[in-house]
């Protein structure tokens, strides 16, 4: 899958292992790299759905976004490149038709509440 980044700072972090290690720490950096590799190696979002990392759709005010686990409680949050996001007749997202994502942030979104 094609991966883009909402913010240049996050893109630079993803492409510089030393900077990633310095800013995220060894554990989070290692998992972040693993999640990016999983996404890059997949043809579509369905291929990562059941991999370790708990790739899942978000709800409520984050509807249209996906997340996967980094080190608890941090998540990698991303959105599909497809606009509009493909849905079936029941308004469920069609993961197999999503072939690119844009990484938005690394966050503990449960802390927001």
């Amino acid at each position: 899958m094609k991966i883009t980044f909402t913010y240049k700072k996050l893109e630079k972090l993803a492409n510089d292992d030393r900077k990633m290690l310095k800013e995220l720490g060894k554990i989070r950096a290692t998992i972040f790299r693993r999640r990016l590799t999983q996404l890059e190696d997949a043809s579509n979002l369905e291929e990562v759905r059941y991999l370790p990392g708990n790739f899942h759709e978000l709800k409520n005010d984050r509807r249209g976004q996906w997340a996967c686990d980094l080190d608890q409680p941090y998540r990698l949050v991303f959105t599909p490149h497809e606009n509009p996001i493909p849905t079936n007749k029941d308004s469920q997202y069609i993961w197999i038709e999503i072939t690119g994502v844009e990484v938005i942030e690394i966050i503990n979104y449960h802390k927001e509440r």
Side-chain angles (χ1 to χ4, degrees):
M1 259 192 305
K2 179 173 172 60
I3 299 175
T4 58
F5 297 85
T6 301
Y7 303 104
K8 288 285 184 200
K9 181 179 179 185
L10 192 54
E11 183 176 10
K12 286 179 183 177
L13 188 69
N15 292 313
D16 184 339
D17 288 339
R18 285 182 51 172
K19 185 174 183 130
M20 185 189 313
L21 189 61
K22 181 179 178 184
E23 290 195 26
L24 300 180
K26 184 176 182 180
I27 294 171
R28 191 171 309 144
T30 300
I31 299 170
F32 178 49
R33 171 65 53 219
R34 184 179 312 136
R35 299 295 175 248
L36 290 176
T37 300
Q38 288 172 317
L39 289 166
E40 287 171 347
D41 290 349
S43 300
N44 57 64
L45 201 53
E46 182 69 25
E47 291 183 11
V48 298
R49 189 175 199 162
Y50 302 107
L51 291 178
N54 186 29
F55 290 84
H56 59 283
E57 298 173 23
L58 299 179
K59 300 176 185 173
N60 303 322
D61 60 330
R62 286 191 173 264
R63 182 161 168 72
Q65 297 179 351
W66 272 253
C68 59
D69 295 344
L70 295 177
D71 57 323
Q72 293 294 339
Y74 290 91
R75 306 287 193 279
L76 179 66
V77 180
F78 53 92
T79 58
H81 286 165
E82 287 73 15
N83 188 12
I85 301 170
T87 57
N88 64 19
K89 61 181 174 64
D90 297 322
S91 297
Q92 297 170 320
Y93 294 126
I94 304 171
W95 288 48
I96 200 165
E97 292 183 16
I98 298 169
T99 59
V101 296
E102 180 170 46
V103 175
I104 301 171
E105 62 189 340
I106 294 172
I107 190 169
N108 172 8
Y109 53 72
H110 295 289
K111 186 179 175 183
E112 293 176 354
R113 296 179 184 167

